[in-house]
Amino acid sequence: MGVSAVLATGCGGSGGTSHAAVRTTGGKTTAPAVPAARKLTFDLVKGVGDTGLGGDRACGYGEWNDGTFAIDKPYSKQTTFYREYSCYEKKGELFPNAAGQMTYAEFGTPAQATAYGNYTKTNISAVAVLVSDNTAVTMDIGYLTVNKMTLLKQVQQACGGCGTMIAGPHAADPVPGHVDRS
């Protein structure tokens, strides 16, 4: 007769739940269950971005807006939802001094998001892009002092490892003072 025990733990935060399970049957133990990847959403990206970029000393005031400074044609025309995090000297200014530090774009199809991700490989200002389904999150080199590659990896971790990371020209030097290797 086997004995079965299940231990489940959960942690909250952003509505997400993780579970770890250990099953013992007849003296055998199985590995914990792997958490399912979550969907990459604007709210998830905004939360990670606000924390990482908002605390950067080089950004006097940052906010998400729907401008299209950081996304080139034809990709800007293919988006169904778009937001970018821009920095201003202070709140209330009309024009950002660092536009599109981080972008979130939902495309009409996964193929369009993938095409945009592949384009990012050659975009002179790109650090990297995370593509998941029809969504792409991009980090640009900008002048902020935060490590942008690390921040994008935090976004990927927040969605349970979703998507594919595509490195841009500045993936190896994602902070100001970089040396252009092109």
Side-chain angles (χ1 to χ4, degrees), residues 23-106:
R23 297 181 191 277
T24 306
T25 305
K28 295 181 182 178
T29 303
T30 60
V34 177
R38 297 186 333 192
K39 184 168 175 55
L40 189 59
T41 65
F42 176 66
D43 287 340
L44 183 141
V45 173
K46 182 180 184 303
V48 175
D50 283 349
T51 300
L53 298 171
D56 194 296
R57 67 181 181 272
C59 186
Y61 172 75
E63 68 180 24
W64 290 92
N65 56 55
D66 61 358
T68 55
F69 295 110
I71 189 168
D72 295 330
K73 290 180 184 177
Y75 308 104
S76 61
K77 301 295 183 193
Q78 297 171 348
T79 61
T80 59
F81 181 84
Y82 179 85
R83 294 293 182 269
E84 61 185 44
Y85 189 93
S86 296
C87 290
Y88 302 80
E89 290 290 325
K90 59 186 176 186
K91 187 174 182 171
E93 287 189 354
L94 217 50
F95 298 104
N97 59 352
Q101 297 298 292
M102 181 179 214
T103 67
Y104 174 89
E106 291 177 6

Side-chain angles (χ1 to χ4, degrees), residues 106-129:
E106 291 177 6
F107 291 88
T109 67
Q112 290 172 331
T114 300
Y116 175 69
N118 289 328
Y119 158 76
T120 301
K121 292 178 193 177
T122 60
N123 182 339
I124 192 66
S125 64
V127 172
V129 64

